[in-house]
């Protein structure tokens, strides 16, 4: 094929990148106190915690390291549910309450009924889960 046929205008054009927004999410960090609920598997083993702080519009999933791959993988479901709640304009603590209210212990993982409590900080919650 002759060289002239392989040359295209695209080679000489400047490339311009545009920032594209990702999914709407709560902030992933806070230094303030958090409310949290415990998530367990069908056998009752703790997989991690869902936490929230309205003041910083923050919420997320903190995995229990001892829960292994199951804990890490099940967390994706709850992160997705938090994203859905944020997209609907629900406050972080209202999202926790909703997840608690609609959780079913018959599922492979669930929010433990009556587990809503607080921690002085996200760091303290993570430390607690690391020690379990």
């Amino acid at each position: 094929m002759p060289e002239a046929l392989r040359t295209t205008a695209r080679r000489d054009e400047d490339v311009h990148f545009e920032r594209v927004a990702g999914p709407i999410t709560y902030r992933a960090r806070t230094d303030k106190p958090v409310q949290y609920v415990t998530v367990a598997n069908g056998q009752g083993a703790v997989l991690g915690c869902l936490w929230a702080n309205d003041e910083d519009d923050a919420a997320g999933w903190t995995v229990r390291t001892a829960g292994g791959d199951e804990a890490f993988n099940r967390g994706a479901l709850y992160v997705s549910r938090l994203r859905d709640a944020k997209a609907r304009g629900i406050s972080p603590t209202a999202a926790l309450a909703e997840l608690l209210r609609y959780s079913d212990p018959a599922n492979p993982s669930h929010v433990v009924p009556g587990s809503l409590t607080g921690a002085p900080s996200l760091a303290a919650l993570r430390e607690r889960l690391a020690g379990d």
Side-chain angles (χ1 to χ4, degrees):
M1 176 178 285
E3 182 66 29
L5 294 176
R6 285 190 286 196
T7 304
T8 65
R10 291 186 306 245
R11 291 184 181 177
D12 296 329
E13 292 178 8
D14 287 338
V15 177
H16 298 279
F17 294 99
E18 293 181 30
R19 183 175 288 251
V20 178
I24 298 171
T25 61
Y26 297 110
R27 290 186 57 209
R29 290 187 296 208
T30 182
D31 293 329
K32 297 177 177 65
V34 295
Q35 291 185 346
Y36 69 92
V37 292
T38 302
V39 176
N41 66 14
Q43 293 73 42
V46 173
L47 301 175
C49 293
L50 291 162
W51 58 268
N53 173 281
D54 286 343
E55 189 176 346
D56 284 341
D57 194 40
W61 166 256
T62 297
V63 68
R64 179 175 171 250
T65 308
D69 291 341
E70 179 186 19
F72 180 81
N73 293 334
R74 296 279 180 210
L77 169 69
Y78 295 98
V79 168
S80 175
R81 289 180 178 170
L82 286 172
R83 283 184 181 151
D84 290 345
K86 176 64 175 174
R88 289 184 283 126
I90 296 174
S91 74
T93 56
L96 278 190
E98 183 177 271
L99 289 167
L100 181 60
R101 186 170 45 254
Y102 296 115
S103 188
D104 183 356
N107 289 335
S109 66
H110 64 280
V111 177
V112 177
S115 66
L116 180 62
T117 191
S121 68
L122 180 55
L125 173 59
R126 288 181 173 156
E127 190 174 304
R128 179 185 162 273
L129 285 174
D132 283 349

